[in-house]
Amino acid sequence: MTRMTVDDVYQHIRGVCFKTGPPGLVGAETEWFVVDAADPGAHVAGDRVRSLVADAGRPSGGSRVTYEPGGQVELSSAPFGKLGDLHAALDGDIAHVRDALAPDGLVLAGHGVDPVRRPVFQADHPRYACMRDYFCSGGFTDAGMAMMCSTASVQVNLDIGADDPDASRRWRLVHALGPVLVAAFANSPLRAGRHTGMRSSRQAIWTELDPCRTLPVLRDGADGDPAEAWTRYALDARVMLLHTPEGEWVTDPGMSFLEWLTSGEPGEEDLTYHLTTLFPPIRPRGWLELRMIDALPEPYWPVPVAVATALLDDPAAACAAEAAAEPVADRWAEAARCGLSDPALAGAARACFAAALDALPRLGASGLVPLVAEYARRYVERGRTPADDTPSPTPPS
Protein backbone atom coordinates (compact mmCIF):
# COMPACT_ATOMS: atom_id res chain seq x y z
CA MET A 1 0.00 0.00 0.00
CA THR A 2 1.40 3.43 -1.02
CA ARG A 3 1.90 5.77 1.93
CA MET A 4 0.41 9.23 1.65
CA THR A 5 1.70 12.76 2.19
CA VAL A 6 -0.24 15.92 2.97
CA ASP A 7 0.03 16.87 -0.69
CA ASP A 8 -1.39 13.47 -1.64
CA VAL A 9 -4.39 14.18 0.60
CA TYR A 10 -4.94 17.52 -1.10
CA GLN A 11 -4.62 16.04 -4.58
CA HIS A 12 -7.09 13.25 -3.71
CA ILE A 13 -9.60 15.73 -2.34
CA ARG A 14 -9.20 18.07 -5.27
CA GLY A 15 -9.47 15.30 -7.85
CA VAL A 16 -12.20 13.22 -6.21
CA CYS A 17 -14.21 15.30 -3.72
CA PHE A 18 -14.13 18.42 -5.90
CA LYS A 19 -14.16 16.85 -9.34
CA THR A 20 -15.79 19.43 -11.61
CA GLY A 21 -17.51 19.23 -14.98
CA PRO A 22 -20.79 18.25 -16.65
CA PRO A 23 -23.38 16.78 -16.50
CA GLY A 24 -25.75 18.52 -14.10
CA LEU A 25 -27.30 15.96 -11.79
CA VAL A 26 -29.47 16.01 -8.68
CA GLY A 27 -30.14 13.30 -6.11
CA ALA A 28 -31.87 13.08 -2.75
CA GLU A 29 -31.98 10.90 0.34
CA THR A 30 -34.94 10.73 2.67
CA GLU A 31 -34.89 9.20 6.14
CA TRP A 32 -38.03 8.06 7.95
CA PHE A 33 -38.94 6.78 11.38
CA VAL A 34 -41.05 3.64 11.38
CA VAL A 35 -43.94 3.83 13.83
CA ASP A 36 -46.54 1.28 14.91
CA ALA A 37 -49.83 3.07 14.31
CA ALA A 38 -51.44 1.16 17.20
CA ASP A 39 -48.67 2.06 19.67
CA PRO A 40 -46.66 5.13 18.50
CA GLY A 41 -44.53 5.16 21.65
CA ALA A 42 -43.20 1.64 21.13
CA HIS A 43 -39.99 0.87 19.28
CA VAL A 44 -40.38 -1.21 16.13
CA ALA A 45 -37.87 -4.02 15.74
CA GLY A 46 -35.50 -3.41 12.85
CA ASP A 47 -35.66 -7.04 11.73
CA ARG A 48 -39.42 -6.76 11.35
CA VAL A 49 -39.07 -3.72 9.09
CA ARG A 50 -36.26 -5.23 7.01
CA SER A 51 -38.25 -8.40 6.42
CA LEU A 52 -41.35 -6.55 5.24
CA VAL A 53 -39.38 -4.28 2.91
CA ALA A 54 -37.33 -7.16 1.51
CA ASP A 55 -40.46 -9.19 0.81
CA ALA A 56 -41.83 -6.30 -1.27
CA GLY A 57 -38.88 -6.41 -3.67
CA ARG A 58 -36.74 -3.59 -5.00
CA PRO A 59 -38.36 -0.19 -5.60
CA SER A 60 -38.96 0.41 -9.29
CA GLY A 61 -37.51 3.93 -9.25
CA GLY A 62 -34.01 2.71 -8.48
CA SER A 63 -33.68 4.02 -4.93
CA ARG A 64 -31.40 2.15 -2.54
CA VAL A 65 -33.00 1.21 0.78
CA THR A 66 -30.74 1.16 3.86
CA TYR A 67 -31.21 1.45 7.61
CA GLU A 68 -29.78 3.81 10.20
CA PRO A 69 -28.61 2.55 13.62
CA GLY A 70 -31.94 3.29 15.32
CA GLY A 71 -33.95 1.54 12.63
CA GLN A 72 -34.72 4.62 10.51
CA VAL A 73 -35.39 3.72 6.88
CA GLU A 74 -33.34 5.62 4.33
CA LEU A 75 -34.16 5.80 0.62
CA SER A 76 -31.31 7.12 -1.55
CA SER A 77 -32.30 8.02 -5.08
CA ALA A 78 -30.28 7.47 -8.19
CA PRO A 79 -28.87 10.71 -9.68
CA PHE A 80 -31.15 12.33 -12.24
CA GLY A 81 -30.61 14.97 -14.89
CA LYS A 82 -34.01 16.53 -14.23
CA LEU A 83 -35.56 17.53 -10.93
CA GLY A 84 -39.01 16.37 -12.04
CA ASP A 85 -37.71 12.89 -12.86
CA LEU A 86 -36.06 12.64 -9.45
CA HIS A 87 -39.30 13.62 -7.73
CA ALA A 88 -41.36 11.07 -9.63
CA ALA A 89 -38.94 8.21 -9.02
CA LEU A 90 -38.27 8.84 -5.34
CA ASP A 91 -41.91 9.58 -4.55
CA GLY A 92 -42.86 6.25 -6.08
CA ASP A 93 -40.17 4.42 -4.14
CA ILE A 94 -41.28 5.98 -0.85
CA ALA A 95 -44.83 4.83 -1.64
CA HIS A 96 -43.43 1.34 -2.37
CA VAL A 97 -41.90 1.13 1.12
CA ARG A 98 -44.97 2.68 2.74
CA ASP A 99 -47.20 0.10 1.08
CA ALA A 100 -44.89 -2.72 2.20
CA LEU A 101 -45.24 -1.67 5.84
CA ALA A 102 -48.94 -0.78 5.89
CA PRO A 103 -50.41 -4.31 6.13
CA ASP A 104 -48.43 -4.81 9.33
CA GLY A 105 -49.80 -1.61 10.84
CA LEU A 106 -46.55 0.33 10.39
CA VAL A 107 -46.26 3.86 9.01
CA LEU A 108 -43.44 6.18 7.90
CA ALA A 109 -43.13 9.33 10.00
CA GLY A 110 -41.20 12.43 8.95
CA HIS A 111 -39.55 14.23 11.87
CA GLY A 112 -36.07 15.66 12.31
CA VAL A 113 -35.90 13.95 15.72
CA ASP A 114 -38.05 11.12 17.05
CA PRO A 115 -40.53 13.17 19.13
CA VAL A 116 -41.48 10.45 21.61
CA ARG A 117 -39.15 7.45 21.70
CA ARG A 118 -35.74 7.44 23.33
CA PRO A 119 -32.82 6.13 21.24
CA VAL A 120 -32.41 2.37 20.96
CA PHE A 121 -29.36 1.04 19.12
CA GLN A 122 -30.40 -1.62 16.58
CA ALA A 123 -27.42 -1.77 14.18
CA ASP A 124 -25.38 -4.92 13.70
CA HIS A 125 -22.56 -3.58 11.49
CA PRO A 126 -19.23 -3.12 13.35
CA ARG A 127 -18.86 0.39 11.88
CA TYR A 128 -21.85 1.62 13.84
CA ALA A 129 -20.72 -0.06 17.04
CA CYS A 130 -17.34 1.66 16.66
CA MET A 131 -19.06 4.98 16.00
CA ARG A 132 -21.16 4.58 19.16
CA ASP A 133 -18.07 3.70 21.20
CA TYR A 134 -16.17 6.67 19.74
CA PHE A 135 -18.84 9.15 20.79
CA CYS A 136 -19.10 7.56 24.22
CA SER A 137 -15.34 7.67 24.79
CA GLY A 138 -15.26 11.33 23.73
CA GLY A 139 -17.93 12.40 26.18
CA PHE A 140 -20.68 12.65 23.57
CA THR A 141 -22.75 9.66 24.70
CA ASP A 142 -26.14 11.39 24.77
CA ALA A 143 -25.71 13.40 21.57
CA GLY A 144 -24.03 10.51 19.79
CA MET A 145 -26.81 8.05 20.53
CA ALA A 146 -29.43 10.64 19.66
CA MET A 147 -27.72 11.45 16.36
CA MET A 148 -27.40 7.84 15.29
CA CYS A 149 -30.73 6.51 16.54
CA SER A 150 -33.15 9.44 16.85
CA THR A 151 -32.54 11.81 13.94
CA ALA A 152 -33.70 11.85 10.33
CA SER A 153 -33.18 14.22 7.43
CA VAL A 154 -33.85 15.11 3.83
CA GLN A 155 -30.48 15.25 2.09
CA VAL A 156 -30.01 17.02 -1.24
CA ASN A 157 -27.12 16.04 -3.53
CA LEU A 158 -26.02 18.57 -6.15
CA ASP A 159 -23.10 18.91 -8.51
CA ILE A 160 -19.82 20.50 -7.43
CA GLY A 161 -19.76 22.82 -10.45
CA ALA A 162 -18.71 23.08 -14.07
CA ASP A 163 -15.18 24.35 -13.34
CA ASP A 164 -13.09 25.62 -10.42
CA PRO A 165 -14.58 29.15 -10.27
CA ASP A 166 -18.10 27.71 -10.48
CA ALA A 167 -17.28 25.19 -7.73
CA SER A 168 -15.96 27.96 -5.46
CA ARG A 169 -19.09 30.03 -6.04
CA ARG A 170 -21.42 27.12 -5.32
CA TRP A 171 -19.38 26.15 -2.23
CA ARG A 172 -19.72 29.65 -0.77
CA LEU A 173 -23.39 29.92 -1.69
CA VAL A 174 -24.46 26.61 -0.21
CA HIS A 175 -22.70 27.43 3.08
CA ALA A 176 -24.44 30.81 3.18
CA LEU A 177 -27.76 29.09 2.52
CA GLY A 178 -27.22 26.54 5.30
CA PRO A 179 -28.87 28.52 8.13
CA VAL A 180 -31.76 29.52 5.85
CA LEU A 181 -32.45 25.89 5.01
CA VAL A 182 -32.18 24.82 8.67
CA ALA A 183 -34.65 27.52 9.67
CA ALA A 184 -37.13 27.15 6.80
CA PHE A 185 -37.50 23.38 7.26
CA ALA A 186 -37.11 23.07 11.03
CA ASN A 187 -39.24 20.13 12.16
CA SER A 188 -37.90 18.78 15.45
CA PRO A 189 -39.06 20.75 18.50
CA LEU A 190 -39.59 17.60 20.59
CA ARG A 191 -37.27 14.91 21.89
CA ALA A 192 -38.32 11.99 24.10
CA GLY A 193 -41.72 13.57 24.60
CA ARG A 194 -40.54 17.01 25.71
CA HIS A 195 -40.02 20.38 24.09
CA THR A 196 -36.32 21.16 23.80
CA GLY A 197 -36.58 24.91 23.24
CA MET A 198 -35.36 24.39 19.67
CA ARG A 199 -37.24 24.47 16.38
CA SER A 200 -34.58 22.10 14.99
CA SER A 201 -33.40 19.85 17.78
CA ARG A 202 -31.71 17.76 15.11
CA GLN A 203 -29.36 20.61 14.18
CA ALA A 204 -28.70 21.24 17.87
CA ILE A 205 -27.78 17.57 18.39
CA TRP A 206 -25.32 17.65 15.50
CA THR A 207 -23.82 20.88 16.87
CA GLU A 208 -23.29 19.24 20.27
CA LEU A 209 -21.28 16.43 18.71
CA ASP A 210 -17.54 16.23 18.12
CA PRO A 211 -16.89 19.69 16.62
CA CYS A 212 -13.89 18.54 14.58
CA ARG A 213 -16.27 16.51 12.38
CA THR A 214 -19.69 18.20 12.56
CA LEU A 215 -19.14 21.98 12.34
CA PRO A 216 -19.39 23.68 8.93
CA VAL A 217 -16.20 23.56 6.88
CA LEU A 218 -16.59 27.18 5.76
CA ARG A 219 -16.89 29.49 8.77
CA ASP A 220 -16.35 33.15 9.66
CA GLY A 221 -16.67 34.28 6.05
CA ALA A 222 -13.48 32.46 5.03
CA ASP A 223 -12.75 32.29 1.34
CA GLY A 224 -10.19 30.57 -0.83
CA ASP A 225 -9.76 27.13 -2.34
CA PRO A 226 -12.59 24.78 -1.22
CA ALA A 227 -10.34 21.74 -1.66
CA GLU A 228 -7.75 23.28 0.63
CA ALA A 229 -10.40 24.03 3.26
CA TRP A 230 -11.72 20.44 3.15
CA THR A 231 -8.15 19.12 3.30
CA ARG A 232 -7.44 21.11 6.47
CA TYR A 233 -10.72 19.96 7.99
CA ALA A 234 -9.97 16.29 7.22
CA LEU A 235 -6.39 16.46 8.50
CA ASP A 236 -7.42 18.11 11.78
CA ALA A 237 -10.30 15.71 12.49
CA ARG A 238 -9.73 12.84 14.88
CA VAL A 239 -9.67 9.36 13.44
CA MET A 240 -12.93 7.73 14.48
CA LEU A 241 -12.12 4.13 13.67
CA LEU A 242 -9.74 1.89 11.77
CA HIS A 243 -10.50 -1.16 9.68
CA THR A 244 -7.33 -3.22 9.92
CA PRO A 245 -5.95 -5.48 7.15
CA GLU A 246 -6.89 -8.40 9.39
CA GLY A 247 -10.54 -7.33 9.19
CA GLU A 248 -10.75 -5.98 12.74
CA TRP A 249 -12.42 -2.70 13.67
CA VAL A 250 -10.55 -0.42 16.08
CA THR A 251 -12.33 2.48 17.77
CA ASP A 252 -10.74 5.89 18.39
CA PRO A 253 -6.98 5.34 18.09
CA GLY A 254 -6.53 8.74 19.72
CA MET A 255 -5.00 10.84 16.94
CA SER A 256 -5.92 13.23 14.17
CA PHE A 257 -5.57 12.12 10.57
CA LEU A 258 -2.55 14.41 10.25
CA GLU A 259 -0.90 12.69 13.21
CA TRP A 260 -1.68 9.32 11.67
CA LEU A 261 -0.30 10.53 8.35
CA THR A 262 2.93 11.60 10.04
CA SER A 263 3.39 8.05 11.29
CA GLY A 264 3.54 6.88 7.68
CA GLU A 265 0.77 4.31 8.04
CA PRO A 266 -2.43 5.39 6.23
CA GLY A 267 -3.01 4.93 2.51
CA GLU A 268 -5.61 6.26 0.10
CA GLU A 269 -8.22 3.72 1.18
CA ASP A 270 -7.81 4.91 4.79
CA LEU A 271 -8.31 8.52 3.70
CA THR A 272 -11.40 7.60 1.70
CA TYR A 273 -12.89 5.87 4.72
CA HIS A 274 -11.90 8.70 7.10
CA LEU A 275 -13.79 11.18 4.92
CA THR A 276 -16.99 9.14 5.33
CA THR A 277 -16.76 9.63 9.12
CA LEU A 278 -16.86 13.44 8.82
CA PHE A 279 -20.35 14.95 9.05
CA PRO A 280 -20.34 18.70 8.36
CA PRO A 281 -23.64 20.19 7.15
CA ILE A 282 -22.16 20.47 3.64
CA ARG A 283 -19.91 17.57 2.65
CA PRO A 284 -18.09 17.29 -0.70
CA ARG A 285 -17.96 13.79 -2.17
CA GLY A 286 -17.63 14.48 -5.88
CA TRP A 287 -20.96 16.24 -5.36
CA LEU A 288 -22.26 18.54 -2.62
CA GLU A 289 -24.23 16.80 0.13
CA LEU A 290 -26.60 19.17 1.90
CA ARG A 291 -27.05 17.45 5.25
CA MET A 292 -28.70 20.14 7.39
CA ILE A 293 -32.39 19.71 6.57
CA ASP A 294 -34.83 18.05 8.99
CA ALA A 295 -36.98 15.20 7.72
CA LEU A 296 -40.42 16.52 6.86
CA PRO A 297 -43.97 15.17 7.05
CA GLU A 298 -45.82 14.15 3.94
CA PRO A 299 -46.23 15.63 1.41
CA TYR A 300 -43.42 18.13 1.88
CA TRP A 301 -40.17 16.17 1.52
CA PRO A 302 -39.73 17.35 -2.14
CA VAL A 303 -39.84 21.04 -1.17
CA PRO A 304 -36.27 21.40 0.17
CA VAL A 305 -34.97 19.35 -2.76
CA ALA A 306 -36.70 21.67 -5.22
CA VAL A 307 -35.72 24.88 -3.42
CA ALA A 308 -32.05 23.97 -2.94
CA THR A 309 -31.71 22.76 -6.53
CA ALA A 310 -33.28 25.92 -7.93
CA LEU A 311 -31.14 28.22 -5.81
CA LEU A 312 -27.89 26.57 -6.86
CA ASP A 313 -28.59 25.54 -10.44
CA ASP A 314 -30.53 28.50 -11.85
CA PRO A 315 -28.24 31.54 -12.40
CA ALA A 316 -30.86 34.19 -11.61
CA ALA A 317 -32.07 32.35 -8.51
CA ALA A 318 -28.47 31.81 -7.36
CA CYS A 319 -27.79 35.54 -7.64
CA ALA A 320 -30.90 36.35 -5.58
CA ALA A 321 -30.07 33.65 -3.02
CA GLU A 322 -26.54 34.97 -2.57
CA ALA A 323 -27.82 38.48 -1.83
CA ALA A 324 -30.46 37.13 0.58
CA ALA A 325 -28.34 34.55 2.40
CA GLU A 326 -24.98 36.27 2.89
CA PRO A 327 -26.19 38.53 5.74
CA VAL A 328 -27.39 35.47 7.73
CA ALA A 329 -24.63 33.04 6.75
CA ASP A 330 -23.37 32.76 10.35
CA ARG A 331 -26.78 32.30 12.03
CA TRP A 332 -26.64 28.52 12.43
CA ALA A 333 -27.47 28.65 16.15
CA GLU A 334 -30.35 31.07 15.65
CA ALA A 335 -31.72 28.92 12.83
CA ALA A 336 -31.84 25.85 15.06
CA ARG A 337 -33.31 27.69 18.03
CA CYS A 338 -35.73 30.11 16.38
CA GLY A 339 -36.52 28.78 12.93
CA LEU A 340 -38.31 31.50 10.98
CA SER A 341 -39.31 33.42 14.09
CA ASP A 342 -35.90 35.05 13.63
CA PRO A 343 -36.73 38.12 11.47
CA ALA A 344 -33.47 38.12 9.51
CA LEU A 345 -33.76 34.43 8.64
CA ALA A 346 -37.45 34.85 7.80
CA GLY A 347 -36.66 37.65 5.35
CA ALA A 348 -33.90 35.62 3.72
CA ALA A 349 -36.19 32.58 3.44
CA ARG A 350 -38.97 34.59 1.78
CA ALA A 351 -36.53 35.96 -0.79
CA CYS A 352 -35.07 32.51 -1.46
CA PHE A 353 -38.47 30.86 -1.89
CA ALA A 354 -39.58 33.60 -4.27
CA ALA A 355 -36.43 33.09 -6.35
CA ALA A 356 -36.86 29.32 -6.33
CA LEU A 357 -40.50 29.51 -7.40
CA ASP A 358 -39.52 31.77 -10.27
CA ALA A 359 -36.73 29.39 -11.32
CA LEU A 360 -38.47 26.02 -11.18
CA PRO A 361 -40.25 26.35 -14.56
CA ARG A 362 -36.91 27.23 -16.16
CA LEU A 363 -35.50 24.00 -14.73
CA GLY A 364 -38.33 21.97 -16.24
CA ALA A 365 -39.93 21.41 -12.82
CA SER A 366 -43.21 23.30 -13.14
CA GLY A 367 -44.95 20.31 -11.59
CA LEU A 368 -43.32 21.10 -8.25
CA VAL A 369 -44.40 24.74 -8.19
CA PRO A 370 -47.82 24.14 -6.51
CA LEU A 371 -46.29 22.17 -3.63
CA VAL A 372 -43.45 24.65 -3.05
CA ALA A 373 -45.95 27.54 -3.23
CA GLU A 374 -48.23 25.78 -0.74
CA TYR A 375 -45.32 25.33 1.68
CA ALA A 376 -44.35 28.98 1.24
CA ARG A 377 -47.89 30.19 1.99
CA ARG A 378 -48.39 27.87 4.95
CA TYR A 379 -45.03 28.45 6.59
CA VAL A 380 -42.45 30.76 5.06
CA GLU A 381 -44.67 33.77 4.39
CA ARG A 382 -46.03 33.49 7.95
CA GLY A 383 -42.65 33.10 9.64
CA ARG A 384 -43.48 29.54 10.64
CA THR A 385 -42.10 26.03 10.09
CA PRO A 386 -43.55 22.53 10.65
CA ALA A 387 -42.04 22.69 14.14
CA ASP A 388 -44.69 25.28 15.02
CA ASP A 389 -47.47 22.77 14.20
CA THR A 390 -46.26 20.18 16.70
CA PRO A 391 -48.46 19.55 19.75
CA SER A 392 -46.99 18.36 23.02
CA PRO A 393 -47.23 14.55 23.24
CA THR A 394 -47.45 12.44 26.33
CA PRO A 395 -43.85 11.63 27.37
CA PRO A 396 -42.96 7.93 27.23
CA SER A 397 -42.91 6.08 30.51
Side-chain angles (χ1 to χ4, degrees):
M1 180 175 63
T2 304
R3 306 304 178 187
M4 302 193 76
T5 66
V6 170
D7 187 61
D8 292 331
V9 174
Y10 173 78
Q11 294 301 330
H12 173 94
I13 283 175
R14 185 172 182 79
V16 176
C17 299
F18 284 93
K19 181 177 176 58
T20 59
L25 299 174
V26 57
E29 301 174 20
T30 63
E31 296 173 340
W32 304 88
F33 296 105
V34 180
V35 176
D36 189 328
D39 189 2
H43 284 279
V44 179
D47 290 345
R48 177 183 173 194
V49 175
R50 288 181 175 88
S51 177
L52 291 168
V53 174
D55 288 347
R58 298 186 63 178
S60 61
S63 298
R64 184 167 57 96
V65 181
T66 56
Y67 301 89
E68 294 298 305
Q72 308 96 306
V73 176
E74 179 179 49
L75 288 97
S76 303
S77 81
F80 287 86
K82 294 183 179 180
L83 182 59
D85 292 342
L86 163 67
H87 173 228
L90 186 51
D91 197 49
D93 290 350
I94 293 169
H96 172 88
V97 172
R98 186 191 308 116
D99 292 345
L101 299 176
D104 219 41
L106 304 180
V107 297
L108 297 176
H111 307 280
V113 172
D114 193 317
V116 176
R117 302 172 299 187
R118 293 182 173 86
V120 170
F121 188 81
Q122 299 197 53
D124 54 8
H125 195 285
R127 167 189 167 95
Y128 288 125
C130 285
M131 186 181 296
R132 176 195 58 197
D133 295 345
Y134 170 87
F135 287 129
C136 290
S137 68
F140 307 110
T141 301
D142 184 54
M145 284 292 290
M147 180 275 284
M148 289 193 294
C149 302
S150 297
T151 64
S153 71
V154 175
Q155 181 174 301
V156 187
N157 300 324
L158 295 167
D159 275 349
I160 291 289
D163 52 30
D164 288 346
D166 189 37
S168 294
R169 177 192 64 80
R170 289 166 69 86
W171 178 251
R172 291 192 302 272
L173 175 55
V174 75
H175 276 86
L177 282 170
V180 179
L181 296 173
V182 170
F185 300 109
N187 184 38
S188 49
L190 302 173
R191 179 179 171 191
R194 301 185 184 280
H195 281 277
T196 65
M198 297 282 175
R199 296 303 204 287
S200 177
S201 301
R202 177 184 178 275
Q203 180 63 26
I205 288 167
W206 282 92
T207 302
E208 290 174 18
L209 274 173
D210 190 8
C212 73
R213 61 185 0 100
T214 59
L215 289 180
V217 180
L218 185 60
R219 301 191 292 275
D220 303 323
D223 209 339
D225 179 7
E228 183 178 345
W230 185 228
T231 298
R232 291 196 304 268
Y233 193 100
L235 290 172
D236 291 342
R238 289 170 59 200
V239 178
M240 174 180 280
L241 52 92
L242 304 178
H243 193 199
T244 69
E246 295 75 29
E248 297 178 350
W249 294 79
V250 178
T251 303
D252 190 11
M255 56 188 170
S256 69
F257 194 84
L258 178 60
E259 290 169 332
W260 192 22
L261 198 69
T262 304
S263 74
E265 293 183 8
E268 190 166 15
E269 289 185 3
D270 297 305
L271 171 63
T272 299
Y273 199 84
H274 174 64
L275 294 174
T276 70
T277 71
L278 307 181
F279 311 111
I282 297 99
R283 184 168 67 175
R285 299 188 63 190
W287 60 90
L288 295 172
E289 288 183 343
L290 282 62
R291 304 172 54 86
M292 75 293 287
I293 301 166
D294 281 2
L296 293 169
E298 292 281 13
Y300 292 126
W301 72 262
V303 176
V305 182
V307 169
T309 303
L311 296 180
L312 260 73
D313 285 0
D314 181 83
C319 184
E322 184 176 356
E326 284 293 345
V328 296
D330 62 346
R331 297 181 75 82
W332 290 94
E334 292 84 353
R337 184 174 64 253
C338 304
L340 295 185
S341 68
D342 179 281
L345 286 164
R350 286 193 293 270
C352 287
F353 266 73
L357 282 164
D358 184 60
L360 285 171
R362 292 193 293 271
L363 296 176
S366 297
L368 283 165
V369 168
L371 184 63
V372 176
E374 177 190 323
Y375 189 95
R377 288 191 300 270
R378 180 172 179 178
Y379 296 115
V380 178
E381 293 171 11
R382 300 169 62 200
R384 293 172 56 82
T385 78
D388 297 305
D389 292 344
T390 307
S392 296
T394 303
S397 57

